[in-house]
Amino acid sequence: MNISGVIFEALESLNANKMRSALTIIGVVIGVGAVIAMLSLGEGVQASISGQISDIGSNLLFVFSGNEDEEVRNVTPLKEADVAALNDPFNAPSVQTAVASIGGRVEASYGGESSSVSMTGTTASYASVRDIELEEGEFLTDDHQLGVASVAVIGPDVADKLFGRRDGVVGETIRLAGQPLRVIGLTEAKGGSATGSEDNVVFVPLASARTRLVSRSIVGEVDTIYVQAVDADSVTAASQEVTELLRSRHRLQPGAADDFTIFSQDSIASMAESITNVLIIFLGGVAGISLLVGGIGIMNIMLVSVTERTREIGLRKALGARKSHILTQFLTESALLSLIGGLLGVLLGWGLSKVVSIIAIQSGTDITPVFTIGTVLLATLFSAAVGIFFGIYPANRAASLEPVEALRHE
Amino acid sequence: MNDIVIEARDLVKSYQMGEIEVHALAGVSFDIQRGELLSIMGPSGAGKSTLMNILGCLDLPTGGDYILDGEHVSDLSQDELADIRNRKVGFVFQSFNLLSRSSALANVTLPMRYAGVSNAERKERATKALQSVGLGDRIYHRPTELSGGQQQRVAIARALVNHPAILMADEPTGNLDSKSGREIMDLLLSLNRDQGVTVIVVTHDPEVSAQTDRIITLKDGVLEKAV
């Protein structure tokens, strides 16, 4: 028998039970739709997170004190002198800039308004390393460091909370933990990110932060060193140079564990990716369960159909249908049910994820669903496979009927 | 033509019903010549259906030998039996057994599809077969749009379309009024007389069997008399 004939006949018999076929197909539509929506939204979330990570800056390394993997005694803290050494091209040729920061949460106030903000004490090169653009005014300069100036650059959220506006805030004086600071700049909005708001921040000169805002028991101690590599290819080399330099400066014996930790932007990105991958698999799995339920629906309806058509099967056998003919006929029907469901499900999934994305964007989270041919093919082929898998049992039951018994069936 | 199309040698069919072994057929032997018109008669429970199922290759005997058109059927697999039914046996049932959602033409093409006949030839042969039973103007009608007699004609066209060695008719007039029943019997008679088709009619209606050349009567699984 030719394929088009088999398909035509299967369509004919599905058409004979329109309502039943439609309901069975809906089960698959919902399953495939859910899988498609979850996968495309998951990939959208992944793209959005990796976008945010690349917004942090480019070719970055983050250096912290301490080691989370191995226990290290007598941790030597990171100091401003380390930063100065890293900035020496003779020591670390792959490092473009290293910049120190110390920080913490402090109370900012202006007039009667007050708000808890994330304060960062740092130096002039922070702006270029962390890709900070200014809306108004200027960033911290070397002069501010030398003069231990009482100045601050604030983020847009801080401006909103303290002033209720973003225009003309430069020149105002705010209080940070009681200390008066003159606002010299306002940063551009970066939006929320996985690492907390980048907009609810106040930057102050490192020297001013150290003397007036945070107390560190060790002279010259810093919390984080941001290291920018010369280019993308030299990130690994830079990381090695930082390691060697810090080890020698901290006088670590060969074989001793590092007393500092280096994260690269890539490692954060890949960590985020592995987390979102788990998320995608989880969501896809939950959606897959509904596809499974749809498949069971197909099996159920095919079993009913086989019972109803026992006589027809007996007749076909009497007319010379082999086992394989009957098997093919019923498998084609169940595969068609799920394939039609799969194609409609792709459309539903596409619509569903568009709706979710519109709602997410309106509530401030930028998720653009990602559709790939791969996703669509996967869902369609998977649904056809579900149809065949759940069709095998009923079809085999039909094909194994004894012709005499089947013909006698009322 | 005086060759033998069916050789039944000591056919036995027994079923296990719990502890007891029931012999539906207990040693039946006869020959049927090509081109014969014969009927198998007997009261219900005599083994008529069992014999018909074996002769039509729907079922295998548990003992004895059955040769249909030169082929030993007794030890064939299910798929080989299906092929034999497809090529050598045409069935006409009491309740017509047409596919209700398909046209008369599609019903008649069905056996040829399993035989692997090409699309164009299927249509041509099916049309011809429907014309030969007098339904040339109704080939696209569905069974529900046809009378009982017409439906049985479609079934006969379907049975003949693969040029089988035998035509098995199981109570072909049982579901028809007497006028349509007579027409169907006339059609079977003329197919036998004019085209030399071997026809075996299974019936309990003496009026039907009276029109056949020979009557085989079964009682309790054995031949009562073979004329």
Side-chain angles (χ1 to χ4, degrees):
Chain A
M1 283 216 291
N2 53 343
I3 295 168
S4 63
V6 172
I7 291 174
F8 180 77
E9 197 180 18
L11 283 175
E12 213 175 46
S13 86
L14 294 181
N15 192 39
N17 266 309
K18 285 191 194 67
M19 184 69 167
R20 186 197 286 179
S21 303
L23 288 173
T24 313
I25 286 170
I26 285 174
V28 181
V29 169
I30 291 172
V32 172
V35 169
I36 290 274
M38 290 306 153
L39 290 184
S40 63
L41 283 172
E43 286 188 30
V45 167
Q46 192 162 50
S48 141
I49 288 177
S50 63
Q52 282 169 4
I53 288 171
S54 68
D55 278 351
I56 295 172
S58 44
N59 313 325
L60 271 186
L61 295 170
F62 306 79
V63 187
F64 303 100
S65 187
N67 187 325
E68 290 186 357
D69 296 332
E70 293 170 76
E71 199 172 331
V72 181
R73 284 182 205 170
N74 300 324
V75 172
T76 313
L78 299 172
K79 293 190 181 172
E80 281 182 56
D82 293 328
V83 180
L86 285 169
N87 271 322
D88 184 345
F90 182 74
N91 287 332
S94 304
V95 172
Q96 168 109 348
T97 320
V99 60
S101 85
I102 59 175
R105 293 204 76 83
V106 293
E107 195 72 12
S109 60
Y110 173 80
E113 303 292 329
S114 73
S115 167
S116 167
V117 301
S118 158
M119 187 275 296
T120 302
T122 188
T123 56
S125 45
Y126 188 89
S128 68
V129 171
R130 293 293 309 270
D131 268 0
I132 289 177
E133 303 282 339
L134 290 190
E135 184 85 41
E136 200 182 351
E138 53 170 4
F139 198 69
L140 308 168
T141 65
D142 291 339
D143 286 344
H144 293 134
Q145 300 295 338
L146 294 173
V148 198
S150 295
V151 292
V153 173
I154 62 172
D157 281 3
V158 180
D160 287 346
K161 278 178 196 151
L162 297 186
F163 303 109
R165 62 188 156 91
R166 291 187 188 176
D167 304 324
V169 296
V170 171
E172 300 281 359
T173 299
I174 61 168
R175 279 177 184 275
L176 221 52
Q179 297 291 325
L181 298 170
R182 187 167 51 87
V183 176
I184 57 163
L186 174 70
T187 65
E188 266 182 12
K190 277 194 167 185
S193 82
T195 51
S197 174
E198 301 259 335
D199 296 338
N200 189 27
V201 288
V202 174
F203 301 104
V204 297
L206 184 61
S208 317
R210 195 186 297 294
T211 51
R212 306 203 183 125
L213 294 167
V214 291
S215 56
R216 291 285 187 269
S217 53
I218 298 156
V219 176
E221 186 186 359
V222 299
D223 294 343
T224 311
I225 303 175
Y226 298 96
V227 176
Q228 187 167 39
V230 177
D231 53 38
D233 295 332
S234 49
V235 173
T236 316
S239 168
Q240 234 151 37
E241 288 164 13
V242 171
T243 307
E244 280 164 23
L245 187 64
L246 289 179
R247 283 185 71 90
S248 78
R249 288 183 61 83
H250 292 182
R251 300 183 204 291
L252 295 176
Q253 299 295 323
D258 293 343
D259 62 354
F260 54 90
T261 306
I262 302 177
F263 284 120
S264 70
Q265 204 173 353
D266 285 350
S267 71
I268 292 176
S270 68
M271 195 160 68
E273 193 177 304
S274 68
I275 292 170
T276 46
N277 274 341
V278 170
L279 185 81
I280 290 174
I281 290 168
F282 174 73
L283 290 176
V286 171
I289 289 173
S290 63
L291 186 55
L292 193 76
V293 173
I296 292 169
I298 288 183
M299 177 142 129
N300 196 4
I301 229 60
M302 290 311 293
L303 281 174
V304 170
S305 175
V306 168
T307 308
E308 267 186 2
R309 286 152 70 187
T310 301
R311 228 181 136 81
E312 176 193 325
I313 295 161
L315 169 78
R316 285 172 183 275
K317 291 204 153 190
L319 297 182
R322 288 172 160 228
K323 220 178 146 164
S324 57
H325 287 131
I326 306 291
L327 200 68
T328 312
Q329 183 191 349
F330 280 89
L331 275 186
T332 309
E333 282 185 27
S334 61
L336 272 179
L337 278 177
S338 64
L339 192 65
I340 295 169
L343 292 174
L344 293 175
V346 168
L347 291 180
L348 176 76
W350 180 79
L352 214 61
S353 54
K354 284 285 173 203
V355 169
V356 171
S357 135
I358 288 167
I359 293 171
I361 287 170
Q362 275 177 355
S363 62
T365 316
D366 187 18
I367 300 174
T368 313
V370 179
F371 291 97
T372 58
I373 292 293
T375 316
V376 173
L377 270 182
L378 182 82
T380 315
L381 291 180
F382 188 56
S383 68
V386 162
I388 291 171
F389 179 78
F390 285 102
I392 282 176
Y393 177 68
N396 198 42
R397 200 161 163 177
S400 310
L401 285 172
E402 292 285 336
V404 176
E405 295 295 321
L407 274 172
R408 204 179 290 154
H409 191 266
E410 287 306 321
Chain B
M1 278 203 302
N2 201 22
D3 58 337
I4 294 168
V5 70
I6 281 179
E7 275 184 80
R9 292 281 163 273
D10 206 20
L11 290 180
V12 174
K13 183 73 182 180
S14 46
Y15 301 97
Q16 201 69 36
M17 300 271 278
E19 301 267 298
I20 315 151
E21 199 175 27
V22 180
H23 296 281
L25 288 180
V28 175
S29 304
F30 57 89
D31 290 348
I32 297 175
Q33 306 289 319
R34 198 178 296 278
E36 251 193 294
L37 171 61
L38 103 170
S39 52
I40 298 174
M41 285 198 74
S44 56
K48 280 199 314 280
S49 303
T50 309
L51 182 59
M52 187 203 79
N53 288 339
I54 291 172
L55 294 183
C57 300
L58 287 167
D59 207 354
L60 290 172
T62 43
D65 205 8
Y66 172 42
I67 302 163
L68 169 63
D69 201 22
E71 297 213 36
H72 283 262
V73 173
S74 308
D75 39 30
L76 293 182
S77 73
Q78 286 296 327
D79 276 352
E80 286 167 329
L81 276 180
D83 288 347
I84 295 267
R85 290 196 292 271
N86 188 242
R87 287 183 286 118
K88 294 190 188 289
V89 186
F91 285 100
V92 175
F93 301 96
Q94 179 173 3
S95 51
F96 323 138
N97 275 346
L98 299 176
L99 298 185
S100 56
R101 50 177 191 278
S102 305
S103 66
L105 188 70
N107 268 290
V108 177
T109 54
L110 199 54
M112 291 188 283
R113 283 162 64 160
Y114 296 131
V117 177
S118 77
N119 233 329
E121 193 188 338
R122 286 208 299 256
K123 197 171 173 188
E124 189 196 316
R125 270 164 62 181
T127 311
K128 224 175 258 173
L130 281 166
Q131 280 164 352
S132 76
V133 297
L135 288 174
D137 56 339
R138 288 189 157 73
I139 60 174
Y140 294 114
H141 287 237
R142 285 165 193 254
T144 45
E145 298 158 350
L146 298 171
S147 73
Q150 287 168 334
Q151 288 186 49
Q152 196 61 299
R153 282 162 188 272
V154 175
I156 291 169
R158 180 179 65 187
L160 291 174
V161 78
N162 267 356
H163 309 302
I166 55 167
L167 179 67
M168 300 278 320
D170 181 15
E171 302 278 7
T173 59
N175 274 18
L176 300 174
D177 59 80
S178 55
K179 180 169 171 285
S180 311
R182 269 198 304 281
E183 281 171 12
I184 291 299
M185 274 317 288
D186 288 346
L187 177 61
L188 289 175
L189 291 172
S190 75
L191 285 169
N192 173 258
R193 202 173 48 236
D194 303 338
Q195 296 179 30
V197 180
T198 310
V199 179
I200 302 168
V201 183
V202 178
T203 184
H204 63 260
D205 183 354
E207 226 177 284
V208 169
S209 61
Q211 301 176 60
T212 61
D213 303 339
R214 182 156 75 117
I215 301 172
I216 290 176
T217 309
L218 277 174
K219 196 174 183 191
D220 299 329
V222 290
L223 287 193
E224 193 175 66
K225 89 186 152 175
V227 180

